[in-house]
Amino acid sequence: MEAALGLLRRMPPKQSETALSALLSLIPQHSSDLLSQVDLPLQVLRDIESGKDFILCEYNRDADSYRSPWSNKYLPPLEDALYPSSELRKLEVEANDIFAIYRDQYYEGGISSVYMWEDDNEGFVACFLIKKDGSKSGHGRRGCLEEGAWDAIHVIQVGPEEEEMAQYCLTSTIMLSLTTDDESSGKFGLSGSIRRQMKMELAVADGHLCNMGRMIEELEGKLRNSLDQVYFGKTREMVCTLRPPAEIVQMRLPDT
Amino acid sequence: MPLVVITTTWHCPSQQNDTVMINERSRFNRRSCTENFISVMTNVSLQSSDYRRRQSLSPANCFLEKAMADEEDELPETELSYDQKKEIAKWFLLNAPAGEINYVAKDLKAVLSDEEVYNEAAMEAFPVYNKSHMICLEMPSRAGDVIVSSYSEITENEYLDPRTAQVAIVDHVKQICTKVRPANDEELPSLYIEEYRYALDAEIQRYVSESYPKGMCAVNCVKGKDTEGPGSDFELVVIITAMRLSPQNFCNGSWRSVWNIDFQDESQVLDIKGKLQVGAHYFEEGNVELDAKKDFQDSTIFQSADDCAIAIANIIRHHETEYLASLEVAYSKLPDNTFKDLRRKLPVTRTLFPWQNTLQFSLTREVEKELGLGK
């Protein structure tokens, strides 16, 4: 298993689906472990009844059907399926609406979905998902990207209320890829993924949605900056190490 | 078109039980993983009834998918054949980033747990990988390095080093040069060609040592190497390769330039075509890859060997320096422009999202009011 995860870390991020397929066929006995530890770009389905798209994930799946957060129905229809309680469903509806606004503010497009369900410990788990196609032909406002994809998966485990406080444990995963193609720099592509966790204890009186929303906003921002500065920055550093820019080279000559 | 079929699953580290609980109540009616992958690899389109059902649901926006079997007690319906395993193994090896094939090999061996399949896959994949990455192998007796590439290939295990007129015999899987022998006359270019090759090689070496801290280069003749004098065309290829491997810092990178110089006798013109490829991989608690490439085109006049060499080297230097500068520009545009098409740093309001401390039901209305969004 260690080796399988190692392989997945080294394969080009854009090929992660093929790599996972390959591993699943080589070591099918580890399928559930692999599928639960590896993130892949999100898939989308259209809920024709409500006319909106929703994101597919393990948390809204039952057998081969997926539950739409808009209509709360399984597509394709499924008998005897799992649903959140009516109270949780109310929270889920509110979460979807407000997360859609959040998504629009930061992403200027894209698709979002929120799924909730009760867990064993009298708390609940919520999964906030965003998928954005930032390419010229997608929702990219500035037309910079030939190809651009951002997939965000935020899973928050909310503990039971104790003395008016609750534990929130957030695990965020961002997967992205972008490619620009122009005259001067040719084809320039960056892709990758990053995952972090964040735990907080917050007052329930502030509202679960506020608490979760603020955590997600904070961690998403941190991950975006980290990807941009640290991760992409390291690749930029590597390019300069391979071939230092001309000015530096010229400065060296007088010494030799 | 083959379908790659995956269901995404998220794992909140301490919540394994949730996934299992949901699965217990689920019914399974899905293809095994094996078949899906075989479809991907052999270009066969899926024909199951599940596929048709999904398709009819959502014609426009559905990303066609099928769920993977992930129930512990469900055994794969078909065992992978020897050849299929080998193809998969080769795929992993060939897609390893620069300098990482040995790490991939180690993990692959563990996953395969079949020495025979691995060895055969390695025998087939390593030569292709080595040539495409243009690895440099040290020749015995301190003769320097030989660049393994399709331009210097004599046979699969023999590569010419034109600078020292030797042929290196290599072990691809071990990535070492086992021995050298002097090149024989048929393998070397004619004196006329060698004049041009030698002059160009000297100029390129000068350029590479100035611009690349750890660069290697070679000039090979790939066409018309037996030309005795003016009157025919010939082609030289300049290869420049630099690799920086820092696995302890979780960072590896490579630069590959290939410049094809077509010496056209009739028009007395040198047609120059360049291909640059830069890659970097950073994987400390995350995984990010850079993949950049560019093609170039230029030309100059056919002159004496020394003058050609200087002209070509200048052209190469000019284009490569310019390319590096434009890569820098692309990087500097990232945070504020390019990245914004994916996600802004902050909303247009320049403030954080106004999560309100109100009763949950009116949260949406409050937020909309604050943001000035009418309903």
Side-chain angles (χ1 to χ4, degrees):
Chain A
M1 245 320 270
E2 271 295 317
L5 292 178
L7 279 179
L8 285 168
R9 266 194 289 273
R10 292 189 191 270
M11 290 297 110
K14 288 217 175 114
Q15 308 265 44
S16 49
E17 287 173 58
T18 320
L20 182 62
S21 265
L23 283 174
L24 287 169
S25 53
L26 283 178
I27 44 172
Q29 65 275 23
H30 289 288
S31 306
S32 26
D33 282 335
L34 272 177
L35 285 170
S36 66
Q37 288 192 50
V38 175
D39 299 298
L40 291 174
L42 300 168
Q43 311 268 39
V44 164
L45 203 57
R46 166 143 288 205
D47 179 352
I48 303 197
E49 182 181 314
S50 54
K52 291 201 250 193
D53 290 326
F54 66 101
I55 300 179
L56 308 180
C57 73
E58 202 57 22
Y59 299 135
N60 66 330
R61 182 186 71 81
D62 194 353
D64 280 343
S65 301
Y66 290 85
R67 181 172 66 88
S68 156
W70 314 115
S71 61
N72 201 26
K73 293 204 184 130
Y74 274 86
L75 299 169
L78 194 65
E79 274 172 23
D80 201 25
L82 288 167
Y83 292 90
S85 69
S86 56
E87 203 180 300
L88 201 55
R89 169 69 190 152
K90 278 195 205 135
L91 188 61
E92 191 185 78
V93 169
E94 184 88 27
N96 272 287
D97 287 340
I98 202 150
F99 202 54
I101 304 176
Y102 168 88
R103 191 232 328 122
D104 210 51
Q105 291 282 302
Y106 274 101
Y107 295 83
E108 301 170 317
I111 301 169
S112 60
S113 298
V114 184
Y115 303 108
M116 299 187 180
W117 68 98
E118 286 93 351
D119 75 3
D120 282 338
N121 319 330
E122 293 173 20
F124 65 96
V125 186
C127 177
F128 291 73
L129 305 138
I130 293 185
K131 183 171 184 75
K132 166 102 190 263
D133 173 1
S135 65
K136 284 198 270 219
S137 46
H139 286 158
R141 286 286 171 95
R142 291 153 201 85
C144 304
L145 298 174
E146 200 57 38
E147 177 264 327
W150 171 290
D151 292 76
I153 301 156
H154 304 281
V155 181
I156 307 191
Q157 188 195 337
V158 183
E161 183 175 337
E162 272 173 48
E163 291 170 11
E164 295 173 15
M165 302 288 277
Q167 272 277 355
Y168 296 85
C169 174
L170 167 64
T171 306
S172 294
T173 308
I174 309 274
M175 288 171 280
L176 69 75
S177 100
L178 58 89
T179 312
T180 60
D181 198 345
D182 62 46
E183 271 300 312
S184 58
S185 58
K187 201 149 172 233
F188 176 79
L190 285 166
S191 60
S193 69
I194 183 177
R195 179 195 276 199
R196 293 287 184 270
Q197 247 187 4
M198 180 188 204
K199 287 193 190 162
M200 286 182 95
E201 196 166 338
L202 300 166
V204 174
D206 287 342
H208 281 310
L209 279 188
C210 278
N211 290 339
M212 293 194 287
R214 287 206 187 100
M215 282 178 78
I216 290 178
E217 185 174 26
E218 190 181 325
L219 194 48
E220 228 183 37
K222 279 197 184 137
L223 291 182
R224 184 216 192 262
N225 289 341
S226 188
L227 275 168
D228 181 19
Q229 283 143 33
V230 177
Y231 285 78
F232 292 157
K234 286 270 177 191
T235 60
R236 178 186 194 167
E237 225 177 88
M238 172 57 79
V239 175
C240 290
T241 312
L242 287 169
R243 193 186 189 290
E247 307 83 61
I248 301 178
V249 172
Q250 266 154 26
M251 289 191 309
R252 247 199 272 137
L253 283 179
D255 294 333
T256 57
Chain B
M1 202 171 106
L3 295 176
V4 179
V5 168
I6 315 272
T7 326
T8 42
T9 310
W10 287 270
H11 179 58
C12 188
S14 56
Q15 285 296 314
Q16 182 118 37
N17 295 334
D18 281 18
T19 331
V20 170
M21 180 172 78
I22 293 174
N23 286 346
E24 271 165 17
R25 290 200 50 197
S26 306
R27 275 162 292 163
F28 292 87
N29 182 22
R30 299 176 266 182
R31 268 273 180 100
S32 74
C33 328
T34 308
E35 236 168 297
N36 288 332
F37 186 70
I38 295 170
S39 309
V40 170
M41 296 294 259
T42 61
N43 254 311
V44 170
S45 54
L46 296 178
Q47 298 261 329
S48 77
S49 58
D50 286 12
Y51 166 92
R52 281 198 285 276
R53 172 159 53 119
R54 187 76 79 217
Q55 196 172 35
S56 66
L57 241 195
S58 42
N61 289 334
C62 176
F63 283 72
L64 299 166
E65 79 158 61
K66 269 192 98 287
M68 293 281 209
D70 61 359
E71 193 176 358
E72 282 81 352
D73 54 19
E74 185 180 293
L75 293 168
E77 286 145 14
T78 48
E79 247 312 292
L80 278 183
S81 77
Y82 183 91
D83 278 334
Q84 281 161 344
K85 278 197 211 165
K86 196 177 74 166
E87 286 306 304
I88 295 176
K90 273 166 64 177
W91 185 88
F92 275 108
L93 289 171
L94 290 173
N95 279 289
E100 296 184 27
I101 194 170
N102 289 308
Y103 296 94
V104 170
K106 185 162 146 248
D107 285 337
L108 183 60
K109 274 191 233 184
V111 169
L112 272 177
S113 34
D114 183 340
E115 281 243 13
E116 215 187 311
V117 170
Y118 171 76
N119 287 334
E120 211 177 300
M123 293 283 292
E124 288 174 32
F126 267 84
V128 180
Y129 177 89
N130 290 341
K131 279 188 284 189
S132 109
H133 284 271
M134 304 196 298
I135 63 166
C136 302
L137 300 178
E138 205 179 309
M139 293 189 287
S141 67
R142 280 133 107 280
D145 280 36
V146 62
I147 301 186
V148 171
S149 75
S150 51
Y151 309 104
S152 58
E153 187 175 2
I154 306 230
T155 65
E156 188 170 274
N157 296 326
E158 295 183 310
Y159 294 85
L160 172 68
D161 176 35
R163 200 172 295 147
T164 58
Q166 292 182 94
V167 171
I169 291 107
V170 314
D171 179 330
H172 279 291
V173 178
K174 294 205 185 113
Q175 294 186 317
I176 52 166
C177 167
T178 51
K179 63 183 205 285
V180 283
R181 65 162 170 83
N184 54 44
D185 286 336
E186 296 91 63
E187 291 160 343
L188 294 170
S190 68
L191 285 171
Y192 173 67
I193 301 290
E194 180 61 18
E195 209 190 319
Y196 281 87
R197 198 209 65 76
Y198 182 84
L200 184 55
D201 193 32
E203 279 302 315
I204 297 291
Q205 275 189 294
R206 190 167 306 150
Y207 161 62
V208 169
S209 63
E210 267 172 18
S211 304
Y212 295 82
K214 283 205 172 146
M216 297 286 189
C217 60
V219 179
N220 287 287
C221 178
V222 295
K223 220 166 59 164
K225 74 171 182 41
D226 297 321
T227 313
E228 296 291 336
S232 329
D233 298 344
F234 60 95
E235 193 175 328
L236 296 181
V237 172
V238 176
I239 313 175
I240 301 176
T241 153
M243 236 192 267
R244 191 60 150 228
L245 304 176
S246 251
Q248 68 280 15
N249 291 331
F250 305 99
C251 199
N252 296 314
S254 79
W255 174 297
R256 284 173 270 172
S257 318
V258 176
W259 293 89
N260 281 65
I261 328 263
D262 194 6
F263 289 72
Q264 290 164 356
D265 184 77
E266 185 157 339
S267 45
Q268 283 291 295
V269 148
L270 266 54
D271 187 47
I272 303 176
K273 284 201 177 58
K275 259 192 164 63
L276 257 62
Q277 198 166 0
V278 190
H281 184 211
Y282 177 56
F283 47 101
E284 181 171 13
E285 298 207 3
N287 179 21
V288 164
E289 271 197 21
L290 161 73
D291 180 20
K293 29 176 105 113
K294 183 149 191 237
D295 290 340
F296 298 87
Q297 177 99 32
D298 210 328
S299 60
T300 183
I301 48 171
F302 204 144
Q303 300 164 86
S304 72
D306 289 332
D307 289 337
C308 275
I310 295 177
I312 296 170
N314 279 339
I315 288 177
I316 292 180
R317 177 186 285 114
H318 165 75
H319 283 294
E320 292 192 347
T321 313
E322 226 180 47
Y323 178 60
L324 188 69
S326 59
L327 274 184
E328 271 295 298
V329 169
Y331 267 114
S332 62
K333 283 197 332 207
L334 259 187
D336 296 315
N337 287 315
T338 328
F339 222 124
K340 244 184 180 163
D341 268 359
L342 286 179
R343 183 190 191 274
R344 302 176 60 101
K345 263 192 226 171
L346 276 179
V348 176
T349 56
R350 306 244 203 112
T351 57
L352 291 175
F353 191 76
W355 304 100
Q356 298 279 20
N357 180 8
T358 63
L359 280 178
Q360 281 157 4
F361 269 95
S362 58
L363 183 53
T364 319
R365 277 200 295 279
E366 290 294 321
V367 167
E368 280 173 348
K369 224 177 6 176
E370 170 126 358
L371 292 173
L373 303 171
K375 245 244 163 111

